[in-house]
């Protein structure tokens, strides 16, 4: 089946720095990718919808200047957490939609801000 | 707007016993329903989906789910639970199959299977 890869799986950064998480569709093209945030033992909260070649659409309450999303190609979307703070520590999951509109999920990326 | 309700926080069963994990949904059009499983520190794994057709859907690892339109439910079931089934289970509904459709997740249910 289709595979979505996220990198890095784990990242620790210092407060005030920025960190980038990549989401790649390995064997299919994804015109749309989604970014979610998940707190421990809680549900996935959709942060934004990323469309290739255009600006991401952010959900209400998500700071677009803090969570920068770039979907530069049909196989890659990136989430950059800018000026990270400890409260940004979370599990970030991406998903990608293929041409048949099936959605596949990545393995997630743990961000810890110290 | 669509929504998913998973009324229980945790389901506890003994290994070998049948299990049921409940899910109800609300959507304005035709429901597209999904179950995902998440193991600790991992992403989501797809278990099964209902798009159309038979109300009983069979999925991965021996799981199945029954779509009940009148009760707006999509409960996940397994005839004989395994300890390795212990994980977090999410029900999700999608508001269509088009390019602009989105997945909405329930809050998740922790399944604990004791030996």
């Amino acid at each position: 089946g289709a595979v979505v890869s996220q990198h890095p799986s784990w990242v620790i950064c210092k407060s005030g720095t920025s960190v980038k998480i990549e989401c790649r569709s390995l064997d299919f093209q994804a015109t749309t990718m989604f970014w979610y945030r998940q707190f421990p033992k809680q549900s996935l909260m959709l942060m934004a919808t990323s469309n290739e070649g255009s600006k991401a659409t952010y959900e209400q309450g998500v700071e677009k200047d803090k969570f920068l999303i770039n979907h530069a190609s049909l196989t890659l979307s990136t989430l950059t957490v800018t000026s990270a703070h400890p409260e940004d520590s979370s599990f970030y999951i991406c998903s990608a939609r293929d041409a048949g509109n099936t959605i596949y999920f990545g393995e997630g990326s743990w961000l810890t801000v110290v | 707007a669509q929504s998913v309700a998973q009324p229980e926080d945790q389901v506890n069963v003994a290994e070998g016993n049948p299990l049921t994990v409940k899910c109800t949904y609300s959507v304005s059009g035709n429901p597209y329903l999904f179950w995902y499983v998440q193991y600790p520190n991992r992403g989501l794994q797809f278990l099964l989906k209902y798009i159309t057709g038979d109300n009983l859907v069979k999925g991965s690892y021996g799981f199945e789910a029954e779509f009940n339109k009148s009760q707006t439910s999509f409960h996940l079931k397994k005839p004989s639970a395994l300890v390795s089934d212990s994980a977090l289970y999410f029900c999700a509904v999608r508001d269509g199959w088009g390019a602009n459709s989105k997945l909405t997740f329930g809050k998740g249910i922790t399944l604990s299977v004791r030996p």
Side-chain angles (χ1 to χ4, degrees):
Chain A
V3 175
V4 175
S5 173
Q6 280 186 242
H7 178 80
S9 300
W10 302 79
V11 58
I12 300 174
C13 71
K14 291 184 178 180
S15 186
T17 63
S18 296
V19 61
K20 181 185 290 187
I21 300 171
E22 294 184 345
C23 178
R24 292 181 184 274
S25 57
L26 296 187
D27 49 4
F28 67 98
Q29 293 184 331
T31 55
T32 304
M33 291 184 174
F34 303 89
W35 286 96
Y36 295 85
R37 183 174 181 177
Q38 184 184 28
F39 292 102
K41 295 191 175 181
Q42 293 190 27
S43 189
L44 283 71
M45 180 192 77
L46 180 64
M47 299 174 65
T49 302
S50 166
N51 294 298
E52 187 267 337
S54 63
K55 291 183 179 180
T57 303
Y58 289 82
E59 296 298 304
Q60 190 173 8
V62 178
E63 299 177 62
K64 59 182 180 182
D65 293 333
K66 181 164 188 62
F67 298 101
L68 298 179
I69 292 172
N70 184 279
H71 195 157
S73 77
L74 287 171
T75 59
L76 174 64
S77 176
T78 59
L79 167 68
T80 301
V81 183
T82 62
S83 187
H85 291 284
E87 57 265 31
D88 299 325
S89 299
S90 190
F91 192 50
Y92 293 89
I93 301 176
C94 76
S95 66
R97 176 158 54 208
D98 70 7
N101 287 327
T102 299
I103 295 174
Y104 302 92
F105 283 85
E107 281 290 302
S109 299
W110 274 109
L111 169 63
T112 301
V113 184
V114 298
Chain B
Q2 69 269 24
S3 65
V4 173
Q6 296 185 254
E8 304 148 312
D9 290 329
Q10 183 155 339
V11 171
N12 299 306
V13 299
E15 188 172 33
N17 283 0
L19 68 87
T20 298
V21 183
K22 295 181 180 178
C23 171
T24 58
Y25 66 90
S26 173
V27 66
S28 57
N30 292 324
Y32 297 87
L33 297 158
F34 302 80
W35 274 101
Y36 292 88
V37 60
Q38 185 180 35
Y39 295 98
N41 303 319
R42 301 293 298 276
L44 297 183
Q45 291 184 29
F46 170 79
L47 280 180
L48 49 78
K49 67 183 178 187
Y50 171 83
I51 304 298
T52 186
D54 289 341
N55 290 340
L56 185 63
V57 179
K58 294 188 182 295
S60 306
Y61 311 120
F63 284 93
E64 58 188 29
E66 185 164 13
F67 170 65
N68 187 317
K69 187 173 183 178
S70 63
Q71 297 184 3
T72 62
S73 67
F74 191 54
H75 301 330
L76 181 70
K77 300 180 181 182
K78 187 171 182 179
S80 178
L82 300 172
V83 173
S84 57
D85 292 329
S86 299
L88 188 57
Y89 289 80
F90 290 101
C91 181
V93 66
R94 189 166 160 179
D95 59 348
W97 202 252
N100 295 322
S101 59
K102 297 179 183 178
L103 270 173
T104 299
F105 288 88
K107 64 180 175 65
I109 295 175
T110 299
L111 172 64
S112 178
V113 182
R114 61 184 182 275

